[in-house]
Amino acid sequence: MIEDEYDESIEEETPTFHFVVGETEMGERIDKFLNNKISDQSRTYFGDLCDEERVRVDGRVTRKAHRVLKGENVLVFMTQNVPETIMPEKIDLKIIYEDSDILAISKPPGMVVHPAPGNWNGTFANGLLNHLNENERNDWSKENNMRPGIVHRIDKGTSGVLLAAKNPIIQKKLSQMFQERSIEKTYLAICAGNPRDAQISVPIGRHPTNRQKMVAIDKDQPEVRSRNALSHVKTMAFDGGLSVIEVKIVTGRTHQIRVHMQHNKTPIIGDSLYGNNDWNRRMLKRGIDRPMLHAFQLKFSHPLTSIETEITAPLPNDMAKIVCSIFPSAPYKFPTWFDDIMANDESFGVSKSESLMKEAGLELTDWY
């Protein structure tokens, strides 16, 4: 695919820096190139700027992995009030797995994973630093890393398993495992309509006008910059209006499941960016203002011990209640989806679904 995106959102801004790539700099990654030019900011910071589309090469936004060529014009639009280091913060982390090298939490909806423009504190990474011991924190301070421990990301509105490394060596190993797709990722979601069982293999690229949004790219648009994306969808239940689905993603593109389900005409409910407006209005009346998407499970071979490791995060209450209204027998058939809700409760199956629905003031017909 041709890399040919242009972002008009900062077209009228004056660039903070303008560089022309010299012969001795050819082949460097652009985040490293900029870090060498502007040494008071970290390489991670410049990678973030690329992600935020605030770096241009010959007038086009660029990926942080781009390797610069002699004569290219590089414009940098710096963000203001950027902290030089990430600080530990006392944040309540719901830890669901921990050993000497890795940690996993059940991320609540609304939590941001790491510092970035617009969210420089109050993130999971800040809370992780606070959780680590002094020696572990010192390891990260030597790295000058604004994303300590981070090996993958989950959207702000998405809940579920978030895996992290407790030291830089394991961070590199886990990051490589995600890149090599050796970590199996399973999500649960609620969508409008019935997607049945489907394999969705559609490339994803940046929306041409809304820079915060991604879009499925048809194969007859080879001139549009995009990346291959593959999602396996399994419909667990359909009640005539909504479906509970399980999605295994092979790739890990930005907003992948949300974009693929929109492209499939069965959008995730509660999703203000990719969802159906009518369903979203109904969800807002029930207090649902986020996508009903949950990172349920990660499976992988432990990077040090090679032990097969499986980490799951039960559904949060807001999503569990809707799942039970669609799929009343779900707590009986899939009890691990509801571990948190069923703690110390021996009632399973339809009776539990009914009690959850009653708590939420719901009937099966309430969603229509």
Side-chain angles (χ1 to χ4, degrees):
M1 302 293 179
I2 298 173
E3 298 184 5
D4 190 24
E5 291 193 69
Y6 189 75
D7 178 10
E8 297 180 354
S9 63
I10 57 174
E11 185 175 10
E12 298 180 358
E13 275 189 45
T14 301
T16 315
F17 294 99
H18 176 198
F19 302 109
V20 178
V21 180
E23 186 171 355
T24 60
E25 298 161 324
M26 286 179 57
E28 289 183 353
R29 275 179 53 129
I30 193 161
D31 51 357
K32 182 179 179 182
F33 169 81
L34 292 174
N35 184 225
N36 290 337
K37 293 287 189 182
I38 312 169
S39 59
D40 61 344
Q41 295 293 347
S42 69
R43 181 172 172 177
T44 300
Y45 168 76
F46 291 112
D48 285 342
L49 282 189
C50 292
D51 289 342
E52 294 290 321
E53 302 187 348
R54 299 188 68 83
V55 177
R56 300 197 192 285
V57 176
D58 289 342
R60 296 175 179 139
V61 296
T62 187
R63 296 174 183 164
K64 59 190 174 188
H66 171 72
R67 295 191 179 274
V68 296
L69 301 174
K70 180 183 177 182
E72 284 182 331
N73 285 273
V74 180
L75 302 181
V76 185
F77 298 81
M78 301 275 281
T79 53
Q80 302 300 314
N81 302 319
V82 179
E84 295 183 3
T85 59
I86 178 172
M87 300 300 294
E89 294 181 43
K90 186 172 178 54
I91 295 172
D92 184 25
L93 300 178
K94 186 170 186 179
I95 297 170
I96 53 178
Y97 178 89
E98 184 173 14
D99 60 32
S100 59
D101 296 291
I102 65 176
L103 174 146
I105 69 162
S106 180
K107 185 185 95 63
M111 175 181 277
V112 176
V113 174
H114 60 73
N119 296 100
W120 292 117
N121 50 46
T123 71
F124 164 67
N126 297 101
L128 175 64
L129 274 185
N130 185 73
H131 175 77
L132 298 178
N133 63 45
E134 185 176 355
N135 289 335
E136 291 167 334
R137 282 198 293 269
N138 288 338
D139 286 341
W140 292 113
S141 65
K142 296 172 188 175
E143 295 282 314
N144 190 26
N145 189 336
M146 286 295 287
R147 295 182 183 177
I150 304 303
V151 295
H152 70 131
R153 287 182 284 189
I154 300 177
D155 295 339
K156 180 179 179 180
T158 303
S159 56
V161 180
L162 181 62
L163 185 65
K166 296 173 72 173
N167 61 71
I169 294 174
I170 297 300
Q171 184 183 41
K172 291 177 182 177
K173 289 180 179 293
L174 285 174
S175 296
Q176 184 176 1
M177 290 169 67
F178 274 102
Q179 289 179 343
E180 294 173 348
R181 302 173 186 172
S182 60
I183 296 180
E184 183 179 310
K185 298 162 284 187
T186 302
Y187 286 72
L188 296 172
I190 303 168
C191 69
N194 184 0
R196 298 179 173 82
D197 293 349
Q199 175 178 292
I200 305 175
S201 180
V202 181
I204 292 174
R206 187 73 60 178
H207 192 282
T209 57
N210 183 345
R211 311 309 296 175
Q212 302 302 312
K213 191 173 182 180
M214 308 301 287
V215 66
I217 304 296
D218 291 331
K219 293 181 180 179
D220 60 355
Q221 296 177 282
E223 75 283 358
V224 179
R225 172 184 168 185
S226 63
R227 303 177 75 185
N228 291 332
L230 177 59
S231 304
H232 296 284
V233 180
K234 181 178 181 181
T235 299
M236 311 302 288
F238 175 57
D239 70 354
L242 299 175
S243 292
V244 178
I245 61 173
E246 175 190 87
V247 186
K248 293 182 184 292
I249 56 173
V250 179
T251 50
R253 308 306 180 205
T254 301
H255 301 172
Q256 177 171 322
I257 296 174
R258 298 161 66 191
V259 173
H260 272 176
M261 296 312 294
Q262 180 196 47
H263 177 76
N264 197 53
K265 296 182 171 50
T266 51
I268 304 296
I269 64 170
D271 190 337
S272 61
L273 199 57
Y274 302 101
N276 175 278
N277 289 334
D278 183 45
W279 275 111
N280 288 349
R281 282 192 292 270
R282 300 184 199 188
M283 293 301 106
L284 280 173
K285 290 179 181 178
R286 302 291 178 182
I288 303 296
D289 60 355
R290 72 166 185 102
M292 291 288 94
L293 179 61
H294 178 74
F296 173 64
Q297 184 180 80
L298 292 178
K299 287 183 179 181
F300 57 95
S301 178
H302 194 286
L304 280 188
T305 66
S306 298
I307 294 173
E308 290 302 310
T309 305
E310 181 178 308
I311 304 173
T312 61
L315 291 165
N317 280 0
D318 61 347
M319 192 167 166
K321 291 169 185 174
I322 304 177
V323 167
C324 287
S325 73
I326 300 166
F327 189 7
S329 62
Y332 176 76
K333 292 183 176 179
F334 302 99
T336 56
W337 292 5
F338 303 92
D339 274 358
D340 279 7
I341 301 165
M342 292 178 143
N344 303 316
D345 190 330
E346 295 179 356
S347 63
F348 277 68
V350 175
S351 62
K352 185 60 182 176
S353 294
E354 290 173 345
S355 67
L356 285 169
M357 291 167 63
K358 184 176 181 180
E359 177 189 339
L362 303 177
E363 299 293 341
L364 286 174
T365 56
D366 276 353
W367 300 102
Y368 312 109

